[in-house]
Amino acid sequence: MSRASHGVPFRMPDRLFAEVAGGGGSAEAVDFLVRGERARRLLLLRTLLDRLGPLPTPLTPPAEAWRTVKEAAGRAPEAVEALLLAPATGGWIAHLLRRVHGPATGPPLWAEAGQLGALAVAAALRAGTRTRTRVALTDGTLHLPGLGTARLPDPAPGLAVGLARTDDGRLTLEGTGRDGRPRTVRCHPATAPVTADDHDPHWLPLRTLTLTHPAPHGPLAVPLDDLDPYRDLDDPMPPARLDPGEARAWQSLFTEAAALLAEPGGSGPGRMDPAWIRSVVPWGRTAATPPAPPTVLLSGSSADAFGAMVISRPATALPLAETLVHEFQHSKLGALLHLFPLLDDDRAARYYAPWRGDPRPLTGLLHGAYAFTAVAGFWRDRMTDPVHADRGAYHFALRRLQCRLAVRTLLTSGRLTPAGHRLVSGLAGTLDAWLREPVPPAALARARTAASLHRTEWRLRNVLPDEPGTPPIPRPARGPRLRPDPPPWTDRRTHAFATAPAPPRTADDHLAAADPGAALVLYGAELERDPDDPHTLAGWIVARAAREPGPAARRMLARPELLQPQPSG
């Protein structure tokens, strides 16, 4: 249960909770989560306004800026509502609350609090109301949330105070130039599609990824945010404008990815409406050259910024579509965690997550299980596509198996609340049904092998063998004994096993081709050269267990860290 800003409680209907618990969710369920985020956002804003009230500032006071926002909302409620619910607004609120409570740092607090003035100016522009607001300028620029950035000519460097006036959607921005004389810019701020040129030296529009006919609605515009200082979901950051070629590449890929996501077929895990995406934040590159990598190298999201996704652009649409599904799952679960206590997490990083190289806290494991259940559903849908059928079958088989293992850990942890148990049981129901679905034998075998390799290598790198004389305490009660500071490692096998090698050359290739005998010989030769390599040893153990199945193999796979001395062939 959550409480709306006016004090009237609202409750999530059981049927909507059941939809979300199964890993999917209809438009009605997502809309309910958005309503919960709205209530939380307004409560946090109220808290922030109370804390900022006594703050000395050369800018328009927060209470006066908020009155401007409310006046604009009276004339254009939907436009101002969208501004308040924008992901970057949530990121700014969360960051500023961390600042007033101590753990976060940044520029002078009055300057960051002045983002509320920028929000007020943006609201007035959207509503066509008149306002006169003293705002913070950085190197002569003022970013207007949801619109873009105004720039004074030859401005004074650093932090300064400017004056923003609005009238019927027009902006007049006044400040000081490098020579100390007044500077003024007048413009009509508006967003622009990625195909538009940045022809105005004083106005840099927020670009949007546009879809003309996304099912089931009409035209759609999703911000491609390379400007907002709070777009990174954490600390503020400078703009990183994409060049025209990179922006067009994003548009092309997003159009293709949205077409994949908008395919009809219900609201189960892996299905999502592109309209639920509230912003895409490009990461890691601003130019179209060099060519983008085949996969998404980094992606992220934050519970404070519902619907936003930081993504490094891949070369093709399929991995982008998969990432959009993955990150939106995190948004859904984050919104659910704002409504319900789902687990009692002591934040100890001691759990195995089949998609990570490091031990994870229980909340992290829950997030991963929820996100990758939808990823499994995404690949399940690809199994009917002749182009991606084999890869889809592999990823579906792998992720359903890995998620079911994580769900078992969650259900046996003893730390789920009743609502959390219901959520995780919903995931278990989805995954158990999927585990009964047939998958082509070759893809299924590669998936099982890849899952076993990851778990084996994780334990070799993270788990210490029991010391002699350790009392036999049941392992679920205390968990494995972990290494204090294991070095990071990158899982190279999950994607490598997605397709069958032809012809096999390396030890991993032979293992992926279901020839553990040949793999064992090659792993043994590698261990002769480097007997302490966990990657190679994991391969040897899995190959040995595949060639000689039985109780001894199962024990070796269950506790590979006990294998002493290490084999040599």
Side-chain angles (χ1 to χ4, degrees):
M1 182 178 73
S2 183
R3 190 170 294 271
S5 59
H6 47 74
V8 178
F10 64 94
R11 294 175 175 84
M12 189 170 192
D14 287 346
R15 60 184 177 82
L16 298 185
F17 188 95
E19 287 181 14
V20 177
S26 63
E28 185 182 1
V30 172
D31 182 65
F32 184 91
L33 295 178
V34 172
R35 287 168 52 205
E37 288 299 286
R38 177 187 183 277
R40 178 178 182 269
R41 186 77 56 89
L42 291 175
L43 287 170
L44 291 179
L45 266 171
R46 181 71 269 166
T47 300
L48 191 57
L49 287 167
D50 291 343
R51 294 300 299 265
L52 295 178
L55 177 70
T57 177
L59 308 177
T60 294
E64 185 179 331
W66 183 240
R67 282 195 295 272
T68 299
V69 174
K70 292 197 293 184
E71 179 187 351
R75 178 179 289 190
E78 291 186 4
V80 177
E81 183 96 347
L83 185 61
L84 291 175
L85 290 178
T89 302
W92 165 70
I93 293 171
H95 172 76
L96 204 55
L97 284 171
R98 289 193 293 270
R99 285 215 60 185
V100 299
H101 288 289
T105 60
L109 185 58
W110 63 263
E112 289 210 278
Q115 180 73 1
L116 185 58
L119 197 72
V121 173
L125 287 166
R126 285 173 176 261
T129 56
R130 304 177 82 176
T131 186
R132 181 184 176 92
T133 305
R134 295 188 303 279
V135 293
L137 303 180
T138 302
D139 297 328
T141 66
L142 171 66
H143 182 75
L144 298 173
L147 291 173
T149 300
R151 304 181 289 191
L152 294 174
D154 193 27
L159 192 61
V161 177
L163 178 65
R165 293 184 284 117
T166 67
D167 183 9
D168 196 25
R170 293 184 297 272
L171 170 70
T172 301
L173 180 63
E174 301 172 5
T176 304
R178 189 181 301 271
D179 57 6
R181 296 181 178 180
R183 295 287 189 274
T184 301
V185 161
R186 294 179 177 85
C187 57
H188 198 141
T191 60
V194 297
T195 53
D197 294 327
D198 295 336
H199 60 275
D200 187 340
H202 306 307
W203 175 248
L204 202 59
L206 176 68
R207 290 182 175 127
T208 58
L209 299 166
T210 57
L211 298 176
T212 306
H213 297 294
H217 5 246
L220 179 68
V222 175
L224 181 65
D225 196 346
D226 53 8
L227 294 175
D228 197 293
Y230 298 95
R231 68 191 185 279
D232 195 40
L233 317 178
D234 192 4
D235 293 334
M237 63 184 299
R241 191 64 163 176
L242 305 185
D243 71 17
E246 180 67 4
R248 287 192 295 269
W250 267 106
Q251 176 66 71
S252 175
L253 279 188
F254 186 77
T255 300
E256 294 179 46
L260 291 170
L261 297 177
E263 290 176 352
S267 57
R271 311 279 176 83
M272 68 173 288
D273 186 338
W276 296 341
I277 303 169
R278 300 208 163 211
S279 76
V280 173
V281 179
W283 179 87
R285 54 186 290 132
T286 58
T289 56
T295 62
V296 173
L297 298 181
L298 178 142
S299 68
S301 52
S302 167
D304 296 318
F306 183 89
M309 307 167 186
V310 177
I311 302 176
S312 64
R313 182 177 68 83
T316 59
L318 190 65
L320 177 60
E322 177 192 13
T323 301
L324 296 175
V325 168
H326 179 116
E327 295 303 338
F328 191 70
Q329 284 293 101
H330 286 304
S331 283
K332 285 163 54 184
L333 183 59
L336 205 63
L337 282 162
H338 289 157
L339 296 173
F340 300 93
L342 298 179
L343 69 174
D344 174 23
D345 190 358
D346 61 6
R347 300 185 182 276
R350 61 174 177 269
Y351 297 96
Y352 169 60
W355 35 81
R356 293 282 298 231
D358 54 338
R360 298 291 287 158
L362 203 62
T363 300
L365 185 63
L366 177 61
H367 261 285
Y370 194 73
F372 278 102
T373 295
V375 169
F378 172 84
W379 286 109
R380 178 173 174 260
D381 289 342
R382 309 280 83 74
M383 290 172 60
T384 58
D385 180 352
V387 177
H388 303 295
D390 183 59
R391 185 180 293 269
Y394 165 81
H395 284 294
F396 170 58
L398 175 67
R399 296 311 188 188
R400 71 180 181 179
L401 178 63
Q402 291 178 326
C403 288
R404 191 59 182 89
L405 177 61
V407 161
R408 180 177 180 274
T409 301
L410 289 161
L411 289 173
T412 58
S413 68
R415 291 183 171 273
L416 296 176
T417 65
H421 194 277
R422 187 181 172 200
L423 173 76
V424 179
S425 296
L427 290 179
T430 295
L431 294 164
D432 287 344
W434 284 350
L435 283 166
R436 293 190 290 270
E437 294 185 3
V439 171
L444 180 61
R446 294 199 311 275
R448 288 173 172 171
T449 300
S452 183
L453 284 165
H454 187 280
R455 182 185 179 277
T456 301
E457 186 168 353
W458 185 93
R459 291 193 70 95
L460 290 173
R461 291 180 180 274
N462 290 287
V463 179
L464 288 166
D466 291 332
E467 295 176 345
T470 301
I473 301 173
R475 193 150 293 277
R478 64 185 177 106
R481 195 165 66 96
L482 299 175
R483 300 179 186 274
D485 286 305
W489 62 285
T490 300
D491 169 35
R492 303 194 299 267
R493 284 166 165 149
T494 292
H495 289 289
F497 276 57
T499 55
R505 293 186 297 272
T506 68
D508 278 2
D509 288 347
H510 284 285
L511 195 55
D515 187 356
L520 201 59
V521 172
L522 294 175
Y523 286 132
E526 293 176 22
L527 288 171
E528 288 282 358
R529 294 189 294 271
D530 186 0
D532 297 322
D533 179 21
H535 183 79
T536 305
L537 182 56
W540 187 95
I541 291 171
V542 172
R544 178 69 177 269
R547 196 182 70 170
E548 302 174 14
R554 289 194 293 272
R555 287 194 296 271
M556 186 167 55
L557 288 173
R559 303 287 299 283
E561 68 276 6
L562 299 181
L563 188 65
Q564 296 290 339
Q566 293 181 354
S568 59

